[in-house]
Amino acid sequence: MVNLSKRRFAQLLMLQPFILLAAKFSPEVTNIELEDDFILVNGWVLLKSDLF
Amino acid sequence: MLIDLDNLADNKPPKKYDVCVCGTGPAGITVARLLAAQGKSVLLCEGGALEYTEESQKLYDGKSIGINDWDAVKNCRLRYLGGTSNHWSGLCSYFDEIDFEMHPNGMSGWQVQRTDILKYFDVAKEILDLPKDAFHIANPWRGYNFKNFAHAMSPPTRFNSKYLEELKKSEKIDLFIHANLTKIQLNPNSPNVQYLQFTNNKKQHFTFSANQYVLALGALENARMLLANNTQLKEGIGNRGDMVGRCFMEHINIRYGRFVSENPSYWKNGKLHLNPSANLIKKYQIGNGVISFDPEFNAVSYGRAQALKQAIRDLICKSESATDLSRKLMDFDCPGDGVITSLIEQSPNLDSRVTLSANERDIFGIPKIVLDWRMNRYDERTVRTIGIEAAKEVAKLGIARVKLEDYILDSTKPFIDIGHHCHQMGTTRMSHSDKDGVVDVNLKVHGLNNLYIAGSSVFPTGGGCNPTFTVVMLSARLADHLASLKQRLI
């Protein structure tokens, strides 16, 4: 589980540029507002620091 | 002593008892044993047999018009000695301090203090075979809005196999099997139960009397029996305030989504269970609950094509889009995935209720149950808030990242596959008066002098915990209360 978890996590973060583009041009359609520290991308609740 | 009502020759009970207890699940057997230990004579009645039979279980037939189908409801219960303990998972936990406060929807909360229940903590631990260090938390959660879910595992204790020999040998307890409760007769001149009528499988009727009576039949049957006995009081027994059967509650079991983890040390002992903190509950005016992060074990392929199967799985799992597609087509988990499940408290809801069928009856002529289990906006808010806040908390702590299901993030989307935990609660809730409940602080039915209810049906709220441990503590407390009463001539 350890290695594969890390790999899946890395996969997620490697998508960073695409996620940011998607977030910019196709914002999430939900009525949930997260605080400033967080960003919601394709259902993932991420820290903004995960992406920047 | 064990007596089979099917073999009893005539309607002459051997004696009048101090207490008559109906139902032999954890509540009924606990009340009976602890009363006997204090020298009281107890009639303990079970409608079923010593073991499971289809004939007995069929008497639980009914109809569901709410969230869940009836088979799920029926299969939660077992109608034979030991009741639901015969398929209990063994997970024990107990209510938080905040669970004893009034619910934000305005419904009343517990009338008894938490400390009054916890006086029976060690008694319940012994009855349920918990280890001495039960509920000990080795690694306290260092988060902000959640805390560890304090719990312990019973072996689990089966009240059938563990206590049958003791009940048989008891000089104080007469255990009757095949004793189907069919009538609660009230004294026409005073607010007392006069006698109970039981019917055996040969349709022969027997009447038994005692100084005090306890219904411990489970949340559905307790309400059913009170409502069905409506010849003397047209609204049924204990139902002056139209509260019998109302506020039926379950613990909602909903899938929140998946998670990935950078830090698997948190899951080295299995699932990670968290409760929301009191501050979070108050801030968002939500209910309690348990959110569980469950690590999936590595998928293993078998058979001659083992290597090929494993290679294909690995290939799919490397691609986010291929994995998503596979999950749409089947239940496809990748190594390292974690799933998030839950046990969420429902608010007491007057419209979530047990009623009686107008035209369907069982073989003894008792109307069958109609269950209308409902969720309301408080419950939806509880589900969504706990999921979102937990996802934020584990991210903030650097423990995991969570992908929440669409219906958690978007309140306009209906929940999919709302499950339950077979925790049926609340149909005869504890309250100050009959305006908002059925029993008082001592579990006595409002307006009657000698009829009591035991079991989770008396819970005014469900909390974020499994109910059996609290059921046993409350039952031990009830036994002490009944033992302290002076005998009364009826």
Side-chain angles (χ1 to χ4, degrees):
Chain A
M1 174 175 159
V2 181
N3 294 333
L4 289 164
S5 268
K6 282 183 176 175
R7 189 182 68 200
R8 297 273 295 148
F9 193 76
Q11 279 177 347
L12 179 71
L13 298 187
M14 280 165 56
L15 293 171
Q16 197 186 115
F18 304 102
I19 287 173
L20 287 175
L21 273 175
K24 186 170 181 181
F25 295 108
S26 175
E28 295 278 342
V29 184
T30 72
N31 50 9
I32 298 293
E33 285 187 20
L34 300 179
E35 284 104 336
D36 287 347
D37 294 347
F38 299 94
I39 186 166
L40 191 60
V41 180
N42 192 26
W44 289 93
V45 178
L46 303 176
L47 293 171
K48 282 186 178 166
S49 58
D50 288 337
L51 305 177
F52 295 104
Chain B
M1 182 165 59
L2 172 63
I3 305 161
D4 188 338
L5 202 64
D6 282 354
N7 299 330
L8 206 61
D10 53 34
N11 184 8
K12 284 187 181 170
K15 58 189 175 188
K16 182 173 178 179
Y17 298 88
D18 289 321
V19 182
C20 172
V21 179
C22 302
T24 66
I29 287 182
T30 297
V31 172
R33 286 182 64 245
L34 298 184
L35 279 168
Q38 297 188 59
K40 300 297 178 185
S41 61
V42 180
L43 168 67
L44 178 59
C45 291
E46 166 56 49
L50 296 181
E51 300 294 338
Y52 179 90
T53 66
E54 285 292 338
E55 293 76 19
S56 177
Q57 192 69 17
K58 194 167 171 47
L59 288 163
Y60 276 162
D61 279 352
K63 185 179 175 185
S64 180
I65 58 172
I67 294 171
N68 223 323
D69 67 89
W70 184 259
D71 278 344
V73 177
K74 180 185 172 186
N75 294 333
C76 288
R77 305 186 285 163
L78 291 171
R79 199 175 185 277
Y80 67 102
L81 186 75
T84 51
S85 76
N86 291 303
H87 65 186
W88 178 45
S89 74
L91 204 152
C92 294
S93 53
Y94 53 97
F95 284 77
D96 286 331
E97 194 65 54
I98 193 164
D99 297 324
F100 287 74
E101 296 183 10
M102 182 178 267
H103 194 274
N105 74 353
M107 292 294 290
S108 60
W110 291 74
Q111 303 302 301
V112 61
Q113 299 289 315
R114 183 174 182 256
T115 49
D116 287 341
I117 298 176
L118 293 182
K119 283 178 188 166
Y120 297 91
F121 191 84
D122 289 336
V123 175
K125 272 174 70 177
E126 188 180 335
I127 290 169
L128 296 173
D129 303 304
L130 294 182
K132 283 183 180 172
D133 65 344
F135 304 106
H136 173 70
I137 292 167
N139 299 308
W141 183 250
R142 57 187 173 86
Y144 315 94
N145 289 322
F146 288 82
K147 62 184 184 61
N148 294 93
F149 169 54
H151 65 286
M153 291 305 295
S154 166
T157 302
R158 306 293 184 212
F159 280 64
N160 179 324
S161 51
K162 181 175 178 186
Y163 295 116
L164 177 57
E165 285 308 308
E166 179 187 321
L167 294 171
K168 278 182 180 175
K169 289 175 184 165
S170 173
E171 293 178 357
K172 289 291 180 183
I173 299 174
D174 285 345
L175 167 62
F176 281 75
I177 57 170
H178 298 130
N180 301 284
L181 177 61
T182 48
K183 185 177 184 182
I184 302 171
Q185 177 69 35
L186 301 179
N187 187 318
N189 302 315
S190 65
N192 292 298
V193 173
Q194 190 170 20
Y195 65 81
L196 300 184
Q197 174 186 280
F198 295 91
T199 306
N200 66 12
N201 292 331
K202 298 171 185 171
K203 303 278 182 74
Q204 297 168 310
H205 302 306
F206 299 82
T207 58
F208 292 84
S209 60
N211 289 317
Q212 312 292 339
Y213 299 86
V214 179
L215 298 186
L217 301 163
L220 299 186
E221 293 301 300
N222 282 343
R224 181 188 186 197
M225 292 312 303
L226 293 177
L227 291 170
N229 279 274
N230 57 4
T231 52
Q232 292 173 284
L233 299 171
K234 64 178 184 346
E235 72 275 11
I237 292 173
N239 197 27
R240 213 163 40 188
D242 187 24
M243 287 300 295
V244 173
R246 292 190 185 271
C247 299
F248 173 84
M249 298 173 291
E250 255 284 0
H251 281 126
I252 299 160
N253 183 5
I254 200 154
R255 181 173 163 133
Y256 274 107
R258 296 174 181 275
F259 69 94
V260 292
S261 173
E262 290 178 283
N263 194 343
S265 65
Y266 281 89
W267 289 273
K268 64 184 176 190
N269 295 323
K271 293 182 185 179
L272 172 68
H273 302 285
L274 299 173
N275 287 128
S277 67
N279 286 340
L280 189 77
I281 289 171
K282 284 180 178 172
K283 179 180 175 184
Y284 290 103
Q285 294 287 287
I286 58 171
N288 210 332
V290 183
I291 185 163
S292 300
F293 293 78
D294 185 6
E296 294 282 342
F297 293 104
N298 283 340
V300 178
S301 299
Y302 296 96
R304 283 183 298 178
Q306 177 184 358
L308 179 62
K309 287 178 191 171
Q310 196 67 50
I312 292 172
R313 178 178 284 274
D314 287 347
L315 192 64
I316 291 171
C317 288
K318 280 178 184 171
S319 160
E320 194 79 19
S321 54
T323 304
D324 280 348
L325 179 64
S326 302
R327 284 172 180 161
K328 281 177 185 167
L329 300 174
M330 63 185 120
D331 187 13
F332 192 89
D333 292 318
C334 283
D337 277 350
V339 295
I340 307 167
T341 57
S342 60
L343 178 156
I344 302 296
E345 180 184 30
Q346 277 199 275
S347 59
N349 175 357
L350 292 170
D351 296 328
S352 182
R353 66 186 296 200
V354 172
T355 54
L356 300 179
S357 170
N359 46 28
E360 287 194 65
R361 293 173 182 263
D362 69 14
I363 58 169
F364 299 114
I366 310 288
K368 293 184 178 180
I369 287 173
V370 177
L371 175 64
D372 189 357
W373 176 33
R374 296 192 191 183
M375 284 177 68
N376 62 19
R377 61 194 175 91
Y378 292 99
D379 306 331
E380 292 172 5
R381 189 165 73 205
T382 301
V383 168
R384 291 194 168 99
T385 304
I386 287 178
I388 291 164
E389 293 301 318
K392 285 158 60 178
E393 178 127 326
V394 294
K396 212 169 189 175
L397 294 173
I399 294 168
R401 298 297 184 275
V402 171
K403 179 177 170 63
L404 292 168
E405 300 286 356
D406 289 350
Y407 51 78
I408 300 295
L409 290 166
D410 189 343
S411 59
T412 64
K413 291 186 175 169
F415 293 135
I416 296 171
D417 292 335
I418 299 168
H420 61 104
H421 285 269
C422 290
H423 298 166
Q424 297 166 349
M425 305 172 282
T427 56
T428 63
R429 69 195 307 266
M430 184 191 295
S431 66
H432 178 66
S433 75
D434 62 12
K435 289 185 175 62
D436 53 0
V438 178
V439 298
D440 67 12
V441 66
N442 290 315
L443 310 186
K444 186 174 72 63
V445 174
H446 291 302
L448 289 175
N449 289 330
N450 64 345
L451 180 61
Y452 293 79
I453 309 280
S456 54
S457 66
V458 304
F459 288 11
T461 62
C465 59
N466 300 58
T468 302
F469 192 73
T470 302
V471 164
V472 172
M473 287 194 287
L474 278 175
S475 301
R477 180 174 171 271
L478 174 59
D480 268 2
H481 174 74
L482 293 172
S484 72
L485 296 175
K486 290 180 181 172
Q487 284 200 355
R488 183 189 305 113
L489 290 175
I490 298 169

